[in-house]
Amino acid sequence: MLRVAVTVAGLGFLIALEIASRRYGERGPITDQAREVIFAPRSGTVLYAGMALMMVVLTWRQRFIAFGAAVVIDVVFWLVRWAVGAETMFGNGALWVTLAYGVIAVTRRTGQDRVLLLKGVGLALLLVAGRKTGFAWLLITAKTRPTVLDQYVATADHALGNPSWVAGRIVVATGTVGAHILEWVYIQLAVAAVAVALYQLRHVAVERRFPGHHLVRTFLVIGLLGPGIYMIFPVVGPVFAYGGDGGHWAVANLWPDTPPPVGTPQPMPFNHITPRNCMPSLHTAWATAIFIHALKGPWVLRFAGAFWLIATLGATLGFGYHYGADIIAGVVFTLTIDMALSSLDRGWDRSAKRFVVYGAAVFTAFLTSYRYLSTEMAAHPWVFGPLLVVATASVVYGYVRITRLSRLTAVPAHLPEPPRERQPEPV
């Protein structure tokens, strides 16, 4: 019943986004995904990443066959597009293979095998659908929120030392090499997420079941809830509100050389193209989720997760996409969601309930203070800056403590076996 309810709600959500997108003259997530069966996809990397998630339920022989079939289909599509002069992009083969296994699950599998394969296909399509719904959400935020609250966040950011302006100057100083590395990390965030997810799901084919809690669940819930905050707290980012990318809509061309002066903030009108996708920083939220789930893996995975988190923070701030206030809000947002999802798996206890309530309260307090106390925060940075940092650190500490305790209690105690007689005495 729960699966049916979630499926119906998800389909209703996609249909609502499709209708809303078409009202603004754009393709919705359903149409956009259907076109990629034939036309060039937006991102072939995401389609292959989704197929990789689906293949965790297959045997190694089936994986090689699936990957080979996807490559052959992509080569055929590429040759046809090259011959007719159409846009070229890989990824159609991965989508075809994923859909083919969905058909195989319905027509050729039964029982638990069918359920497991459908879960794998659904996981792949959810990853792709999440990206499509993200595009639709960004369009809706730009069309429905004519004013933005950047002046409030920029004023509150004085309490944190204007980190976006500092990081922006550092990125400029590193030249094109540093900028290209950060850009690649920023764009390919989904690849890092799939790498960690594949490690967590590596035993699915053998155990014939998915683990109760894994990265993909947290990743998708962040993407589902985050855009709703965009609608409540619309912000475009410093490179648009205070930089050259904002054109005549910007307050002034100040980023990244000159921090904005402290004044009386007010809502400011902005164009109907730029997404209001800053508060909270979902890139930071996703990178944080990758990092905390990578900590459960080997040292290589832990190192990669830490690198991706640090590089993502450098990119979000250094490219002027986010303020420092967005970053700490994204961290609190992620830890609260991940704790709630892991508690659904292992069972709710008192400490987990308290943490989720506390994390939600801290997140709400952040947004409220940015909106209504930004002037006071800028006037007293040595008071509010440490308060923001301590509040974020308290959420991090609570998450780490509860996670460690849950791991200790989850490990079964190994009691010594009673001694046995080498030679039983006859009775």
Side-chain angles (χ1 to χ4, degrees):
M1 291 294 293
L2 179 61
R3 291 175 183 172
V4 171
V6 171
T7 302
V8 172
L11 288 176
F13 179 68
L14 286 175
I15 293 173
L17 285 181
E18 182 76 23
I19 295 173
S21 299
R22 288 184 173 275
R23 286 185 58 186
Y24 297 112
E26 298 288 340
R27 294 192 302 266
I30 299 176
T31 305
D32 207 19
Q33 184 61 67
R35 289 183 79 257
E36 293 186 353
V37 175
I38 301 297
F39 296 95
R42 287 192 181 186
S43 174
T45 304
V46 173
L47 291 174
Y48 268 93
M51 186 184 73
L53 288 179
M54 181 271 296
M55 291 194 299
V56 299
V57 305
L58 306 179
T59 64
W60 278 107
R61 178 176 177 274
Q62 292 170 336
R63 292 170 186 172
F64 285 121
I65 294 174
F67 181 76
V71 172
V72 170
I73 294 172
D74 267 331
V75 170
V76 173
F77 268 95
W78 188 89
L79 292 174
V80 172
R81 288 173 182 149
W82 175 76
V84 300
E87 179 186 2
T88 58
M89 172 59 73
F90 67 95
N92 298 90
L95 182 58
W96 277 48
V97 169
T98 302
L99 294 175
Y101 269 100
V103 175
I104 291 173
V106 174
T107 59
R108 303 293 298 274
R109 302 289 176 87
T110 58
Q112 182 62 25
D113 289 340
R114 172 186 290 178
V115 173
L116 189 68
L117 186 53
L118 284 177
K119 285 183 178 180
V121 173
L123 199 64
L125 295 179
L126 275 176
L127 179 67
V128 179
R131 188 176 179 87
K132 300 301 179 184
T133 55
F135 289 138
W137 263 118
L138 296 182
L139 169 69
I140 293 172
T141 61
K143 298 294 185 181
T144 60
R145 293 296 180 267
T147 60
V148 297
L149 304 177
D150 281 76
Q151 293 186 25
Y152 294 90
V153 183
T155 303
D157 226 34
H158 282 276
L160 296 172
N162 299 301
S164 180
W165 272 256
V166 176
R169 292 194 293 271
I170 294 175
V171 171
V172 171
T174 59
T176 57
V177 176
H180 285 319
I181 294 175
L182 292 179
E183 183 181 15
W184 183 82
V185 170
Y186 188 84
I187 294 174
Q188 301 299 337
L189 186 68
V191 177
V194 170
V196 176
L198 289 178
Y199 174 79
Q200 292 181 322
L201 304 177
R202 66 193 184 280
H203 297 311
V204 170
V206 176
E207 297 177 354
R208 311 305 296 167
R209 65 179 182 85
F210 280 85
H213 179 56
H214 51 83
L215 174 61
V216 181
R217 297 176 65 193
T218 304
F219 216 76
L220 292 173
V221 173
I222 289 173
L224 177 65
L225 299 180
I229 312 299
Y230 294 164
M231 303 293 286
I232 300 172
F233 210 106
V235 181
V236 293
V239 73
F240 298 104
Y242 293 94
D245 290 5
H248 69 277
W249 296 95
V251 177
N253 191 359
L254 302 176
W255 189 89
D257 299 317
T258 307
V262 178
T264 303
Q266 58 185 354
M268 53 183 286
F270 214 79
N271 61 39
H272 296 283
I273 301 173
T274 306
R276 281 64 164 152
N277 61 338
C278 279
M279 184 61 70
S281 170
L282 290 196
H283 259 80
T284 300
W286 283 319
T288 303
I290 291 172
F291 173 69
I292 60 179
H293 281 267
L295 291 177
K296 305 172 186 177
W299 71 268
V300 175
L301 203 63
R302 296 196 298 268
F303 175 81
F307 166 76
W308 226 274
L309 175 60
I310 295 172
T312 300
L313 292 176
T316 54
L317 292 172
F319 292 149
Y321 297 148
H322 291 280
Y323 304 90
D326 309 336
I327 301 299
I328 60 175
V331 172
V332 174
F333 187 68
T334 296
L335 298 181
T336 304
I337 290 175
D338 193 77
M339 179 61 69
L341 292 176
S342 62
S343 298
L344 285 175
D345 174 46
R346 67 171 184 264
W348 287 92
D349 55 20
R350 183 176 299 178
S351 60
K353 293 178 181 178
R354 288 178 176 175
F355 177 84
V356 172
V357 173
Y358 178 70
V362 170
F363 182 77
T364 304
F366 278 176
L367 268 61
T368 304
S369 62
Y370 300 158
R371 179 62 176 84
Y372 298 105
L373 296 175
S374 58
T375 305
E376 290 78 5
M377 295 171 71
H380 305 283
W382 292 106
V383 175
F384 286 95
L387 282 176
L388 294 174
V389 174
V390 168
T392 306
S394 67
V395 174
V396 174
Y397 171 77
Y399 178 87
V400 173
R401 185 179 63 85
I402 295 174
T403 303
R404 285 180 177 176
L405 288 175
S406 64
R407 289 179 184 175
L408 291 175
T409 55
V411 176
H414 295 283
L415 300 177
E417 295 183 0
R420 298 179 180 179
E421 296 179 318
R422 294 185 178 181
Q423 182 64 39
E425 294 290 339
V427 177

